[in-house]
């Protein structure tokens, strides 16, 4: 973030140039950053036990003509912080609003009755699969990550969780279809109405569009981690 004052206060060169009295003012500004726009020169000097001359020197060392200009820059930093925070909240709400949490109710009874789980995921979704495995192990499940389809045939009494954000990877679809044809129970964590969703016995899905041309967008897993977390939490509540 391009903060005007926050970054300056952390600059080593500026810190090393301060006298002890100037450093006291900078420390006071850092500790009371959110309220500085409401301070007058007299109030700040009184509460920080400093002189106006010292405050003026601090402002100039930070690159500002005076305290009024410094206060304005701090206000801009605070506005930017609020905007950034709101963006993070908006993004989190977007993910939550586009996950079909009600579908968990169909999966929980299966987990209660069978504590043997195979986990399969490719690419970035393999990260989510590994995270899911770790959570299941904490709960006492026999949870195994599988990288090769042939290995799945050796665990015929295990439930298979296939994890794919897009649900359209050719290898993912091939594995899911073959396991279903072998009579295996396949549960998917994937996109709603994707090929994987349609093949699986049960699915826990999201409605977030996957931009296949944008590698970063395609590989993002935050919504998948949220889904796994909620699945684990519901199982514990139970």
């Amino acid at each position: 973030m391009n903060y005007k004052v926050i970054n300056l206060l952390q600059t080593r060169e500026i810190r090393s140039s301060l006298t002890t009295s100037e450093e006291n003012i900078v420390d006071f500004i850092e500790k009371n950053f959110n309220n500085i726009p409401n301070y007058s020169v007299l109030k700040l000097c009184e509460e920080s036990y400093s002189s106006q001359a010292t405050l003026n020197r601090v402002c100039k060392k930070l690159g500002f003509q005076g305290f009024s200009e410094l206060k304005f820059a701090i206000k801009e930093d605070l506005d930017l912080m609020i905007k950034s925070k709101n963006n993070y909240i908006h993004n989190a709400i977007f993910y939550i609003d586009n996950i079909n949490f009600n579908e968990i109710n169909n999966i929980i009874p299966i987990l209660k009755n069978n504590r043997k789980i195979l986990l399969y995921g490719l690419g970035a979704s393999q990260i989510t699969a590994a995270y899911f495995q770790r959570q299941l192990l904490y709960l006492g499940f026999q949870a195994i990550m599988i990288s090769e389809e042939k290995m799945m045939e050796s665990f015929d009494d295990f439930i298979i969780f296939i994890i794919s954000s897009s649900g359209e990877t050719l290898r993912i679809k091939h594995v899911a279809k073959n396991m279903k044809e072998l009579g295996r129970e396949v549960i998917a964590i994937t996109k709603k109405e994707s090929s994987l969703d349609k093949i699986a016995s049960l699915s826990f899905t999201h409605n977030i569009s996957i931009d296949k041309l944008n590698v970063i967008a395609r590989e993002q897993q935050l919504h998948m981690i949220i889904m796994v977390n909620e699945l684990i939490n519901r199982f514990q509540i139970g």
Side-chain angles (χ1 to χ4, degrees):
M1 291 296 176
N2 191 24
Y3 294 114
K4 294 182 178 179
V5 181
I6 294 174
N7 295 338
L8 279 172
L9 295 177
Q10 305 302 322
T11 304
R12 182 177 300 175
E13 290 77 8
I14 290 177
R15 280 285 186 177
S16 63
S17 71
L18 299 175
T19 64
T20 301
S21 57
E22 291 167 353
E23 193 166 1
N24 288 338
I25 287 183
V26 170
D27 288 342
F28 183 86
I29 290 172
E30 284 187 319
K31 291 175 183 177
N32 301 276
F33 196 81
N34 290 0
N35 297 319
I36 294 300
N38 300 320
Y39 273 74
S40 65
V41 171
L42 291 175
K43 183 180 179 182
L44 189 145
C45 290
E46 180 181 332
E47 294 191 12
S48 64
Y49 304 103
S50 306
S51 68
Q52 293 186 38
T54 305
L55 176 57
N56 286 334
R57 289 198 305 271
V58 168
C59 291
K60 292 187 185 310
K61 286 187 177 182
L62 292 175
F64 302 99
Q65 292 299 312
F67 185 56
S68 294
E69 189 176 332
L70 174 61
K71 284 202 303 181
F72 183 77
I74 289 174
K75 176 65 165 58
E76 289 186 322
D77 278 5
L78 291 171
D79 289 343
L80 182 57
M81 289 169 65
I82 292 171
K83 182 180 178 181
S84 299
K85 182 178 180 180
N86 287 340
N87 285 339
Y88 296 143
I89 292 172
H90 174 77
N91 289 339
I93 291 174
F94 171 76
Y95 285 133
I96 291 169
D97 284 346
N98 283 280
I99 294 173
N100 303 307
F101 290 106
N102 59 302
E103 294 174 340
I104 293 178
N105 297 329
N106 298 321
I107 299 174
I108 295 299
I110 295 173
L111 291 177
K112 294 286 186 183
N113 293 326
N114 191 333
R115 301 179 73 85
K116 296 180 178 181
I117 306 292
L118 294 183
L119 299 160
Y120 185 77
L122 298 174
S125 292
Q126 199 169 37
I127 297 171
T128 301
Y131 176 73
F132 192 18
Q133 180 198 28
R134 187 177 177 86
Q135 298 298 311
L136 288 169
L137 289 172
Y138 279 130
L139 293 174
F141 279 81
Q142 187 176 347
I144 302 173
M145 285 274 292
I146 294 293
S147 58
E148 298 296 333
E149 179 185 350
K150 195 67 178 174
M151 296 172 65
M152 293 183 182
E153 298 175 10
S154 303
F155 298 89
D156 55 5
D157 57 341
F158 280 62
I159 299 169
I160 300 172
F161 269 84
I162 297 182
I163 299 169
S164 172
S165 183
S166 70
E168 297 298 344
T169 307
L170 287 176
R171 190 171 163 196
I172 286 286
K173 292 189 288 184
H174 173 78
V175 168
K177 185 178 179 182
N178 283 355
M179 290 301 103
K180 279 294 295 296
E181 288 176 353
L182 290 174
R184 306 294 297 279
E185 184 147 41
V186 175
I187 300 176
I189 300 179
T190 190
K191 180 172 170 43
K192 187 75 172 176
E193 300 299 329
S194 65
S195 297
L196 177 57
D197 177 29
K198 294 173 182 176
I199 295 170
S201 311
L202 284 174
S203 296
F204 178 22
T205 63
H206 65 81
N207 304 310
I208 298 166
S209 61
I210 308 297
D211 186 350
K212 295 181 180 179
L213 299 179
N214 185 322
V215 176
I216 294 177
R218 188 179 68 234
E219 297 290 279
Q220 287 179 351
Q221 292 289 300
L222 178 57
H223 56 294
M224 301 291 282
I225 295 294
I226 292 173
M227 293 168 77
V228 166
N229 271 341
E230 188 61 20
L231 185 55
I232 292 295
N233 290 339
R234 295 274 189 95
F235 175 83
Q236 288 179 292
I237 292 170

